[in-house]
Amino acid sequence: MEEKALIYCEGHFGDADGKTANGLIRRSQKYQITCIIDSTKAGLDSGEVLNGIKNDIPIFQDLTEAIESLREVPKYFIYGIAPKEAFLSTNQRKVLLKAMFLGMDVVNGLHDFISDDNEFVQNAQKCGVKLYDIRKPLANRYLNLYSGNIMNVKTPKIAILGTDCAIGKRTTAMLLVKTLKDRGLRASFIGTGQTSIIQGEKYGIALDAIPSEFMTGEVENAIIEANLHEKPDVIIIEGQSALSHQAFISTAAIIRGGHPDAIIVQHPPKRKTRVDFPYLKMPTLKSEIQLLETFSHSKVIAITINHENMNTEELKRTTKDYEDLFHLPTTDALAYGCNKLVKALFKAFPDLKEKSQIIN
């Protein structure tokens, strides 16, 4: 049974740093989301802000207004911002403490672990609430080193990678999983970030919080576990950051640990600099594809577009331009769905098409 939760996303709902809140509005298997807190969009409907479609999940000015309007205190307070700094400000700490005093368990996806913070721990005990640090890894002795057993996984593994952070790789992956399931296929999703874990996905890790020595092993283990227990026809792996990104190494670990059999690459054509790194220019889609294929020894079989700052005509034109230039099926999964991606998978892995036809 889904427990009720509200999401704190002050100043960032709908933008790149609000990706945890954005993801939970689009999909949540674990929580019933009651509202968003973001004073810059107070009074609006979160669905209309995010997707242009009303979902009746309101956005409130602050925690006080939210509780007064809801007329109840949700069980969970979810910190829905994923900023570059990854540490709580003084004002944000006050909001978390207020949530505790109201009797709410706190779900935190930052690298700033609240369960290691004496002030938060003492107040949580006083208020009788729990603190959940989603990114906090297990002790090293419980983590997995790379074993090479991933090479024994014969199920097709598809990685949704990209040219930057916060461009919708997780969203595309989840939409593709749903589409494949609708076609009668058993598709497993492997999460690699804190948002997918908060959403309630069964298999995955917050990869960027894992010590580097164990990153590939943790990815490998998550895939092996899903393959063992779910017996999927296809495995879809969520990407993180970009292989070319100077600040992160997650994509390298996903490729090394996951041994993807094919790659779908996502790109925001209008983005000029990397999110949260205005001094870093975006790579070209061509250079990223070349880098991915060289590093992974796998092939990019399709392109997906993030349509931020693009109108409908620009999206249509860019889709056609990319297909002409790269000779790869291209789509925007949010705008147009995943049919082109499914066709690309069926072409690369004919057995999937046969299984889909047999089941349907």
Side-chain angles (χ1 to χ4, degrees):
M1 183 176 178
E2 294 179 350
E3 296 277 9
K4 291 183 178 180
L6 60 75
I7 305 174
Y8 175 84
C9 196
E10 176 58 33
H12 291 289
F13 182 66
D15 71 21
D17 282 353
K19 67 178 185 179
T20 297
N22 304 342
L24 285 165
I25 288 298
R26 290 192 171 111
R27 176 180 170 84
S28 177
Q29 301 180 102
K30 190 173 182 179
Y31 305 103
Q32 179 185 341
I33 307 302
T34 60
C35 68
I36 298 287
I37 295 174
D38 183 350
S39 64
T40 65
K41 296 180 178 68
L44 301 177
D45 179 274
S46 62
E48 289 182 330
V49 170
L50 198 59
N51 304 316
I53 302 172
K54 191 172 183 179
N55 64 4
D56 295 321
I57 299 176
I59 305 176
F60 293 119
Q61 175 82 18
D62 53 27
L63 189 54
T64 298
E65 183 186 37
I67 300 304
E68 289 177 352
S69 298
L70 295 173
R71 297 184 180 180
E72 65 175 332
V73 178
K75 180 173 176 57
Y76 294 99
F77 173 101
I78 301 175
Y79 185 88
I81 310 172
K84 170 187 171 185
E85 293 78 14
F87 292 98
L88 294 165
S89 68
T90 299
N91 285 337
Q92 290 170 343
R93 291 179 66 87
K94 290 178 180 177
V95 174
L96 263 66
L97 288 169
K98 184 173 182 178
M100 293 180 202
F101 294 146
L102 289 168
M104 303 175 73
D105 294 344
V106 178
V107 179
N108 169 47
L110 294 175
H111 289 291
D112 192 2
F113 300 145
I114 57 178
S115 60
D116 289 341
D117 186 299
N118 287 334
E119 182 181 21
F120 285 142
V121 170
Q122 290 172 9
N123 279 284
Q125 291 173 346
K126 185 187 304 182
C127 298
V129 300
K130 297 178 180 179
L131 307 177
Y132 298 94
D133 282 313
I134 302 304
R135 262 190 172 120
K136 191 174 184 179
L138 297 172
N140 287 357
R141 63 180 175 273
Y142 298 119
L143 297 177
N144 293 277
L145 289 168
Y146 181 77
S147 68
N149 290 329
I150 190 69
M151 298 176 190
N152 298 323
V153 176
K154 304 307 179 185
T155 306
K157 304 179 298 299
I158 319 303
I160 313 298
L161 307 179
T163 55
D164 195 18
C165 305
I167 55 172
K169 297 182 288 289
R170 183 192 67 257
T171 298
T172 293
M174 288 182 170
L175 289 171
L176 179 55
V177 167
K178 182 181 184 303
T179 303
L180 291 167
K181 287 181 176 180
D182 289 344
R183 298 289 185 96
L185 290 164
R186 297 188 301 273
S188 289
F189 174 84
I190 306 298
T192 56
Q194 77 277 11
T195 301
S196 60
I197 295 174
I198 296 174
Q199 286 176 311
E201 295 302 325
K202 197 171 180 181
Y203 299 96
I205 60 281
L207 190 58
D208 62 1
I210 302 292
S212 59
E213 183 178 5
F214 300 98
M215 292 175 78
T216 55
E218 284 294 295
V219 173
E220 177 190 45
N221 183 69
I223 294 170
I224 289 172
E225 286 290 305
N227 193 60
L228 174 65
H229 297 294
E230 304 299 324
K231 304 290 190 295
D233 298 309
V234 60
I235 296 170
I236 307 299
I237 308 168
E238 174 193 9
Q240 291 295 322
S241 181
L243 186 58
S244 62
H245 203 304
Q246 297 90 329
F248 304 107
I249 61 172
S250 298
T251 301
I254 290 168
I255 292 172
R256 291 299 197 205
H259 287 239
D261 299 294
I263 294 168
I264 295 170
V265 62
Q266 182 136 333
H267 179 64
K270 286 287 188 123
R271 193 177 292 186
K272 302 301 181 185
T273 60
R274 295 194 187 276
V275 66
D276 290 332
F277 295 86
Y279 49 86
L280 296 179
K281 290 184 179 180
M282 283 288 293
T284 65
L285 181 54
K286 180 179 179 180
S287 68
E288 196 73 30
I289 290 174
Q290 291 174 339
L291 181 62
L292 285 167
E293 291 187 337
T294 300
F295 187 81
S296 68
H297 304 294
S298 186
K299 286 291 183 182
V300 172
I301 62 170
I303 296 167
T304 49
I305 293 174
N306 178 312
H307 61 248
E308 64 181 23
N309 301 318
M310 300 177 75
N311 60 39
T312 302
E313 287 305 312
E314 287 175 321
L315 181 56
K316 288 181 179 178
R317 185 170 63 251
T318 302
T319 298
K320 183 180 185 304
D321 288 346
Y322 282 0
E323 290 189 330
D324 291 342
L325 178 62
F326 296 102
H327 306 290
L328 291 169
T330 302
T331 191
D332 179 324
L334 272 175
Y336 302 134
C338 294
N339 286 338
K340 284 186 179 180
L341 304 183
V342 172
K343 288 180 180 178
L345 285 179
F346 286 173
K347 182 178 179 181
F349 306 97
D351 286 352
L352 289 180
K353 185 175 183 180
E354 292 179 11
K355 290 179 181 179
S356 176
Q357 289 174 340
I358 290 170
I359 294 172
N360 289 329

